[in-house]
Amino acid sequence: MTESQKFELRASEIREALNTLQEAEELTDDQRSEMDKLTREYRDVETRKRAALVIEADELEAAKAAATASPDRETRERIELRSKARIGGYLRAHLRGRIVDGAEHELLTAAGVPDGSIPIELWDTATPERRDITGAPGTVGLNLDRIRPAVFAPSVIPRLGVEMPRVESGSYASATISTSTTAGARAKEADAPATAAAFTAATSTPKRISTRLSLTLEDIASVGTASFESALRENLSLGLSSELDDQGLNGDGNAPNLAGLFSKIGMATAPGAAVATFDDFVGAFAGGIDGLWASTMKEVAIVAGVESYGLSARTFRDAAGQDLGDMAFADYAMAKYGGWWTNKRMPVKANHIQDAILYRMGRSMMGAAGAMRTAVCPHWGSVSIDDVYSDSGKGIRHFTMHVLLGDVIVVQPDAYKRLQFRVST
């Protein structure tokens, strides 16, 4: 038990004792003295608990920093390989019908992906530093800034606790205990309850997301330069991650689409006939408290559609003849809750109603102690290249790129809830 937990336990005991004393119709002198003593101790315990929380948070950050700063030898070698390998090297080898060599081949082998592919982990490496490219005399130099693409870092899915582990060849399966064993108080010599645990398993098979990279002959001649490497990474990242984010969120599961998060979390309760009010938004968050995955309002987050968020930004609590404050719900939510945001890939309104996702993140991988996985979308570790052919009349070569992904598996269904807001009439 941590120091902060010990202080929290003592604070709970003091509150219970004070509540008992307050129930008395008339206090004796001893009881008044005891109440004063407990009140002073409670203030002291709360102060020390806050100090302990700060110290423990600092210690946790220091431990994380130490772990990050001191990778093992294998990790250091892998990071060094990533920094040396270039996407351009894989493309040039494919153009020539050869197997990659040098750092690109070593990374391919270390990652365990097949020839003709690009290891996904290559996107974990920072892109080349900003460089000044000087043209011929009389021209203006091009100032190329650093590009920070990330194929597997879309804007919505990670914030909703969907992890994206790399998996080996074959279908991916995940099992969760859906029925727990029972426990209970028993009389002397009575048998213990005998309820068997049950597992629920889900399987995800590879599905393909594809994009095409087209390069002119002039571009291909520049593939070996450091500056062009950034452009290649950005081109691939934008093409793949945009579709990945949309599929992971909205995919309906009908081939060839992935089964996205919306398709896995059930239906929402239809909203009322009136446009959502301040209190309707508050009620949506309050309805997320379940005491298991969310015990405080800071552990409840909602991602809403653009129209819903816009409505919340112009919705105030004031009613006719009442002055209840000048803060819009969007601002109120930022201060009170675990998250209230929007994204362009959220579904648009249909029949004046728009969907949203509530995420109870108190025990998720985004939470604190006791973190647990809530959802997963596996990937098979590489970007494959095929179908290189010539658009010779235009001097263009095309590279068709594929990423293999699996359906989203909701490991802990209780961590999610589907909502709807009426945004117009």
Side-chain angles (χ1 to χ4, degrees), residues 377-393:
C377 179
H379 71 87
W380 273 260
S382 65
V383 176
S384 61
I385 315 168
D386 67 6
D387 197 21
V388 179
Y389 56 90
S390 175
D391 198 347
S392 57

Side-chain angles (χ1 to χ4, degrees), residues 16 68 71 116 185 193 209 301 345 366 371:
E16 184 178 356
T68 304
I209 290 181
R345 294 190 180 93
M366 296 180 67

Side-chain angles (χ1 to χ4, degrees), residues 4 136 141 204 220 253 263 290:
S4 62
S204 187
I220 293 170
S263 70
D290 65 350

